[in-house]
Amino acid sequence: MFFIGIFGFGNRSNKISDIKFKCTGCMNEDFSLVELYNSFDIFFIPVFKTKKEYIIICKKCKSMYKLKSSSIEKVLKTHSAEYGDVDKIMYETSTCPRCGANVTGNYQFCPYCGEPLKK
Ligand SMILES: [Zn+2]
Ligand SMILES: [Zn+2]
């Protein structure tokens, strides 16, 4: 079928800017602000954009936080975000207090040394 692959929905993301936010996982303050949206494509050209979300990603440990829609304007203007601007944590990396390993995902115990991780 010729048409398969020409029309489609896809997830797209655009990096908008660098941003300051205190990472809950690694205490780094360098973040990327990313615009995430679903789009409807024809011939790989996005025809219209649907649901849009703003995500900030820690450059060091890749923890991801979704911003509240009411805070987006402020964050875009000030290039910084606070905990109150975060809607939810999408993905968090924690550092093991015992062996110092970066643990990604929702582990109760460190997969490297078995130390219980705070939650
Ligand atoms: Zn981090
Ligand atoms: Zn450990």
Side-chain angles (χ1 to χ4, degrees), residues 23 25-28 31 58 60-63:
C23 182
C26 71
M27 297 299 146
N28 172 46
F31 274 75
C58 175
K60 204 168 151 199
C61 71
K62 310 287 183 236
S63 290

Side-chain angles (χ1 to χ4, degrees), residues 96-101 110 112-115:
C96 173
R98 192 161 128 199
C99 71
C110 173
Y112 302 96
C113 71
E115 179 80 5

Side-chain angles (χ1 to χ4, degrees), residues 4-113:
I4 289 174
I6 293 175
F7 297 94
F9 281 95
N11 269 318
R12 287 165 178 276
S13 62
N14 261 344
K15 191 186 158 186
I16 298 172
S17 67
D18 291 326
I19 210 152
K20 289 265 174 278
F21 180 74
K22 190 117 182 183
C23 182
T24 57
C26 71
M27 297 299 146
N28 172 46
E29 291 189 3
D30 270 344
F31 274 75
S32 302
L33 176 65
V34 170
E35 181 187 50
L36 204 70
Y37 53 90
N38 293 310
S39 63
F40 184 71
D41 296 354
I42 296 175
F43 292 106
F44 306 104
I45 298 158
V47 174
F48 61 86
K49 296 173 182 178
T50 56
K51 218 172 113 232
K52 210 197 266 185
E53 286 178 342
Y54 289 89
I55 313 282
I56 53 173
I57 303 169
C58 175
K59 285 188 190 172
K60 204 168 151 199
C61 71
K62 310 287 183 236
S63 290
M64 279 169 72
Y65 307 84
K66 187 182 162 212
L67 293 177
K68 284 179 188 162
S69 41
S70 55
S71 296
I72 284 158
E73 215 174 303
K74 186 203 120 190
V75 170
L76 283 171
K77 221 158 91 184
T78 60
H79 292 279
S80 69
E82 287 154 34
Y83 292 121
D85 300 324
V86 170
D87 188 22
K88 63 173 181 186
I89 297 172
M90 299 179 76
Y91 185 78
E92 187 182 28
T93 301
S94 32
T95 307
C96 173
R98 192 161 128 199
C99 71
N102 270 341
V103 182
T104 48
N106 285 322
Y107 287 101
Q108 301 242 238
F109 299 93
C110 173
Y112 302 96
C113 71

